[in-house]
Amino acid sequence: MLAPPLQRLVTELGKLPGIGNRTAQRLAFHILRTSKEDAAALADAIRDVKEKITLCEICFNLAEGPLCAICSDDRRDPELICVVEEPGDVIPIERTHEYRGRYHVLGGALSPIDGVEPDDLKIAQLYQRIEGAEVREVVLATNPTTTGEATALHIADGLRARAPGVAVTRLASGLPVGGDLEYADEVTLGRALAGRRAL
Ligand SMILES: [Zn+2]
């Protein structure tokens, strides 16, 4: 029913996560109404992100050039490495301003059911990185999900075997700030109890 170029845009937009056919149509009509400059800016931004963004050679975070902004910053502690699943996980940790070390982005989590094995992630590269440098601590900040926990345990074992001098830590699981004990689910509350610390 739509003119072929418009249909093509609807189809492409519909491939984005969380965008159903109706939303894709609404966006396509919006783009059609927008100025030529604004539409071109959107197209250029999409093209640019694919052409210019690569993976950092050291930590596999997103980078513009061979190294990411964090690996090229001398003020970041090179002896402290935080392991995360995806590049997007770096952002919330950076936002806390609590962390001054480096990162290592795995590119996912172990999930044998989905066919994700250790070789599919940047795990060997992490071991290599630690063996070739002075690292004091590795913080395993994979998600608190079944696959994230399995990944953390797998890496913790691997690190203990290869670099027994390196401290391996896991992010504490706890209660949301401003939350109420009464409303906490038992898994979260159980972990908060297990991970309690002295005051
Ligand atoms: Zn990097």
Side-chain angles (χ1 to χ4, degrees), residues 141-157:
T142 50
N143 292 326
T145 54
T146 320
T147 55
E149 294 291 354
T151 310
L153 290 176
H154 176 90
I155 294 175
D157 281 347

Side-chain angles (χ1 to χ4, degrees), residues 99-169:
Y99 184 70
R100 298 302 301 159
R102 312 275 173 118
Y103 290 91
H104 191 87
V105 182
L106 297 171
L110 291 177
S111 179
I113 300 168
D114 304 309
V116 184
E117 304 283 343
D119 285 350
D120 299 314
L121 305 177
K122 307 288 185 198
I123 294 177
Q125 289 87 338
L126 174 67
Y127 296 154
Q128 232 171 37
R129 202 176 151 189
I130 280 147
E131 280 165 338
E134 224 163 275
V135 173
R136 180 173 84 243
E137 179 181 349
V138 174
V139 184
L140 298 171
T142 50
N143 292 326
T145 54
T146 320
T147 55
E149 294 291 354
T151 310
L153 290 176
H154 176 90
I155 294 175
D157 281 347
L159 286 171
R160 265 190 289 273
R162 288 170 180 83
V166 176
V168 180
T169 56

Side-chain angles (χ1 to χ4, degrees), residues 56-63 66-72 103 129:
C56 172
E57 286 172 3
I58 297 174
C59 75
F60 305 97
N61 188 11
L62 301 179
L67 296 184
C68 72
I70 292 163
C71 286
S72 33
Y103 290 91
R129 202 176 151 189

Side-chain angles (χ1 to χ4, degrees), residues 44-58:
D44 287 347
I46 292 171
R47 200 171 300 119
D48 254 27
V49 85
K50 294 307 291 180
E51 277 169 12
K52 294 186 181 160
I53 304 291
T54 55
L55 293 185
C56 172
E57 286 172 3
I58 297 174

